[in-house]
């Protein structure tokens, strides 16, 4: 998507092949969006470049301890096996690659001294700005997050490369490196950036947002289920994760894409240019259902050899040890799956950011609104809320809300409600109610999760008799800082905390 230092790149290529590195912090499990950099690494190798892949284990720990120290070695081994399996699945020869771990050199005396030297010239403002899109942003940031960009800059020198390759979300770290490496007497490097593939919900694909991603080891039925729920509105080519995956992964690998469909709808059609496919989708010649089914078939072909490799006892054991379920989690570790369907944990709730498209009074109830709310699906949901006496209609129109999406649909005075708008309520009288506020900049459909429970899969539908929501709701409250919490753990999106305007100490319903 972007290149910084193209003149220097051309000058080097006149003399020799380019030395380039791509790094990945060994945090959550790699997902299918990793095929974007993998296919570009294949291009670099075909062009004769010397490519180094860095498993940045220390970076994983520094990024708000996304990989706890006791799991660092296991996570790094998992990443090494899975990245190699990905490269093999797209035909990349591993003998042409160099694999390095951060702890192989980042704990050396020389590197440590350079970290101190860099810390003496970097401002807090620049360090924070550099990591804004890469390091997890929390209410009370740790010092480790400020160190992260400096280490990534120094890696360019210690890996002895001409260029660093990464996602366009790392641009601020790359410009930070260009500014500060010369102050230590080191050369400014070239930077190459691939585009970021939107997740299935329309926002960036993320390891911590379960609904937004397809794991490399997901079963075929999981792939089908996630693609079925993916945001892919007819004719809409913006923030369409399904189309973007075709554009940035499937087309570069095969130079074509086949839309599979029944004869009565025109039969199969092969596209040799992505632009033609996008045009047909925009004009609704290609149906979202056919597009999803075709991606499912193509994606499973890529994932089959990876699944097969991880089907052996040794790698199964490594996978469960590196990413333990909550019941097996070590102190400080966050679980990644719901260990037991009977566990009453927040990740069972399907809570999403919604945008209120319309608000009308219920035809048969003076205290109820009937809202149409966009939660990133093909059609908005109809939601009935008892907010008439608390929130003026014009304050709800077009605002972002927090919606519980997996309650069993329920008729309220003759209108079926397909979700619940979560609100803060005052403790005393007179009762006050305020809809919860997602962070500014959120997109409709983004997952809302409880801190520490980022990875679990929500229930398809909460069974009324099990009272899962009611049991969890008993521990929902608003903090003194007006932040929504469950047992003192914040409600979060990838952009920050969920809050309310003024009802500190209140309940959530």
């Amino acid at each position: 998507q972007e290149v910084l230092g193209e003149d220097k790149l051309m000058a080097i290529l006149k003399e020799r092949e380019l030395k380039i590195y791509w790094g990945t912090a060994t945090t959550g499990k790699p997902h299918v969006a990793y095929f974007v950099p993998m296919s570009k690494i294949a291009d670099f190798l075909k062009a004769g470049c010397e490519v180094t892949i860095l498993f940045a284990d220390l970076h994983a720990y520094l990024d708000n301890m996304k990989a706890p120290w006791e799991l660092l070695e296991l996570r790094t081994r998992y990443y090494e096996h899975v990245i190699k399996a990905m490269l093999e699945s797209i035909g990349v020869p591993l003998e042409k690659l160099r694999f390095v771990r951060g702890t192989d050199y980042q704990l050396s005396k020389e590197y440590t001294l350079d970290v101190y030297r860099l810390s003496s010239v970097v401002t807090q403002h620049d360090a924070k700005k550099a990591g804004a899109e890469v390091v997890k942003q929390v209410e009370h940031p740790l010092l480790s997050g400020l160190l992260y960009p400096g280490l990534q800059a120094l890696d360019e020198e210690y890996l002895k490369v001409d260029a660093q390759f990464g996602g366009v979300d790392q641009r601020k770290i790359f410009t930070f490196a260009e500014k500060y490496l010369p102050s230590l007497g080191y050369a400014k490097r070239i930077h190459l950036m691939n585009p970021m593939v939107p997740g299935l919900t329309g926002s960036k694909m993320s390891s911590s947002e379960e609904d937004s991603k397809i794991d490399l080891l997901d079963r075929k039925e999981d792939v089908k289920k996630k693609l079925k729920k993916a945001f892919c509105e007819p004719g809409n080519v913006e923030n369409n994760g399904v189309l973007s995956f075709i554009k940035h992964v499937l087309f570069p690998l095969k130079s074509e894409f086949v839309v599979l469909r029944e004869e009565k709808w025109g039969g199969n059609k092969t596209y040799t240019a992505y632009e033609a496919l996008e045009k047909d989708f925009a004009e609704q010649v290609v149906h979202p259902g056919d597009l999803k089914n075709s991606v499912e078939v193509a994606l499973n072909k890529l994932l089959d050899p990876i699944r097969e490799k991880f089907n052996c006892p040794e790698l199964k054991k490594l996978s469960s040890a590196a990413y333990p379920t909550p019941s097996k989690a070590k102190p400080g570790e966050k679980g990644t799956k719901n260990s037991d369907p009977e566990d009453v944990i927040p990740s069972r709730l399907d809570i999403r950011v919604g945008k209120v498209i319309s608000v009308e009074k219920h035809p048969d109830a003076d205290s109820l609104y009937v809202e149409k709310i966009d939660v990133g699906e093909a059609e908005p949901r109809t939601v009935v809320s008892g907010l008439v006496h608390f929130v003026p209609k014009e304050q709800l129109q077009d605002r972002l809300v927090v919606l519980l999406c997996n309650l069993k649909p329920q008729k309220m005075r003759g209108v079926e409600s397909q979700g619940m708008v979560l609100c803060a309520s005052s403790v005393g009288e007179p009762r006050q109610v305020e809809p919860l506020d997602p962070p500014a900049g959120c997109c409709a459909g983004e997952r809302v999760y409880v801190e520490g429970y980022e990875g679990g899969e929500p229930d398809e539908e909460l069974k009324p008799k099990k009272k899962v929501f009611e049991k969890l709701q008993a521990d929902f409250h608003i903090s003194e800082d007006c932040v929504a919490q469950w047992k003192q753990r914040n409600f979060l999106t990838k952009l920050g905390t969920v809050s309310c305007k003024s009802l500190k100490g209140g309940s959530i319903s």
Side-chain angles (χ1 to χ4, degrees), residues 20 24 45 94 107 111 127 182 222 294 300 302-303 326 446 485:
I20 188 168
T24 180
L45 289 170
L94 299 184
L107 299 175
Y111 189 93
D222 294 327
S294 307
N300 278 320
L302 288 178
L303 297 182
E446 264 183 57
Q485 295 184 329

Side-chain angles (χ1 to χ4, degrees), residues 48-324:
C49 299
E50 294 180 29
V51 181
T52 298
I53 290 182
L54 170 67
F55 298 112
D57 43 6
L58 274 186
H59 291 72
Y61 180 69
L62 289 173
D63 188 359
N64 276 279
M65 293 183 290
K66 282 185 182 175
W69 194 260
E70 62 271 19
L71 295 179
L72 214 54
E73 166 65 18
L74 292 166
R75 295 265 172 103
T76 306
R77 279 170 48 205
Y78 178 89
Y79 261 70
E80 189 165 348
H81 282 291
V82 87
I83 294 290
K84 286 179 177 178
M86 285 183 82
L87 290 164
E88 287 172 340
S89 85
I90 61 173
V92 176
L94 299 184
E95 61 273 11
K96 290 188 176 182
L97 288 163
R98 179 171 69 125
F99 295 93
V100 179
R101 296 183 182 205
T103 45
D104 290 346
Y105 64 90
Q106 289 168 348
L107 299 175
S108 68
K109 179 182 176 182
E110 294 77 14
Y111 189 93
T112 304
L113 285 173
D114 271 344
V115 172
Y116 286 133
R117 288 173 64 207
L118 197 59
S119 299
S120 70
V121 294
V122 172
T123 66
Q124 179 186 349
H125 171 269
D126 282 3
K128 187 176 180 181
K129 181 182 173 185
E133 291 188 46
V134 176
V135 179
K136 184 180 178 183
Q137 301 301 298
V138 293
E139 197 171 358
H140 302 291
L142 299 173
L143 180 61
S144 56
L146 298 178
L147 293 174
Y148 188 111
L151 268 68
Q152 189 166 334
L154 287 172
D155 290 340
E156 297 179 347
E157 175 65 25
Y158 278 78
L159 292 171
K160 301 300 177 190
V161 294
D162 307 306
Q164 183 179 174
F165 165 57
V168 75
D169 62 335
Q170 300 195 51
R171 192 184 197 281
K172 289 175 182 173
I173 288 184
F174 292 164
T175 55
F176 171 94
E178 291 188 6
K179 177 178 178 179
Y180 282 107
L181 275 188
S183 68
L184 299 187
Y186 298 143
K188 185 194 293 189
R189 264 61 181 195
I190 301 154
H191 295 101
L192 306 104
M193 287 160 265
N194 65 256
M196 304 305 295
V197 175
L200 300 177
T201 56
S203 56
K204 173 182 164 183
M205 197 174 289
S206 164
S207 294
S208 63
E209 198 174 335
E210 189 66 29
D211 277 355
S212 80
K213 68 189 176 77
I214 293 173
D215 281 333
L216 297 169
L217 301 181
D218 271 349
R219 301 170 304 165
K220 290 187 177 183
E221 49 266 43
D222 294 327
V223 173
K224 180 184 284 293
K225 180 179 165 187
K226 288 181 179 180
L227 280 171
K228 189 176 179 182
K229 289 167 66 177
F231 176 76
C232 191
E233 191 176 46
N236 186 352
V237 299
E238 298 298 321
N239 292 324
N240 187 324
V242 181
L243 268 180
S244 293
F245 189 75
I246 296 169
K247 179 179 180 179
H248 296 298
V249 176
L250 299 177
F251 253 105
L253 291 175
K254 300 288 184 183
S255 300
E256 66 175 33
F257 182 75
V258 181
V259 173
L260 306 170
R261 57 190 176 190
E262 295 179 32
E263 287 298 329
K264 64 180 178 180
W265 304 119
N268 296 351
K269 183 170 182 181
T270 300
Y271 290 89
T272 54
Y274 170 76
E275 292 72 20
L277 172 62
E278 186 180 276
K279 181 173 180 288
D280 277 2
F281 186 82
E283 293 173 357
Q284 300 191 34
V285 175
V286 174
H287 188 271
D290 293 329
L291 195 72
K292 288 180 179 183
N293 291 339
S294 307
V295 168
E296 181 189 341
V297 170
L299 181 54
N300 278 320
K301 283 181 183 175
L302 288 178
L303 297 182
D304 277 341
I306 303 172
R307 294 184 189 115
E308 190 176 341
K309 183 172 182 177
F310 272 77
N311 205 27
C312 69
E314 181 191 351
L315 292 185
K316 278 184 178 177
K317 184 178 178 183
L318 173 62
S319 182
S320 60
Y323 297 93

Side-chain angles (χ1 to χ4, degrees), residues 324-396:
T325 56
S327 59
K328 299 176 185 175
K330 298 179 182 179
E333 165 61 357
K334 299 173 181 179
T336 58
K337 282 188 179 178
N338 300 340
S339 57
D340 185 326
E342 297 305 311
D343 284 349
V344 181
I345 54 177
S347 49
R348 293 182 64 181
L349 304 179
D350 182 4
I351 306 176
R352 295 184 234 166
V353 175
K355 183 173 182 180
V356 180
I357 296 171
S358 68
V359 192
E360 300 295 338
K361 279 273 197 78
H362 193 297
D364 298 317
D366 291 339
S367 64
L368 301 178
Y369 284 130
V370 178
E371 304 122 1
K372 293 287 185 184
I373 301 180
D374 176 10
V375 286
E377 297 169 332
E379 298 291 333
R381 292 192 178 209
T382 300
V383 178
V384 180
S385 305
L387 295 173
V388 170
H389 300 313
F390 303 104
V391 186
K393 180 178 170 180
E394 58 272 14
Q395 287 184 19
L396 274 179

Side-chain angles (χ1 to χ4, degrees), residues 477-496:
H477 76 286
I478 303 295
S479 74
E480 290 304 305
D481 298 327
C482 288
V483 173
Q485 295 184 329
W486 174 79
K487 291 187 175 180
Q488 284 73 53
R489 292 171 179 255
N490 294 343
F491 281 58
L492 299 167
T493 74
K494 61 185 179 61
L495 292 180

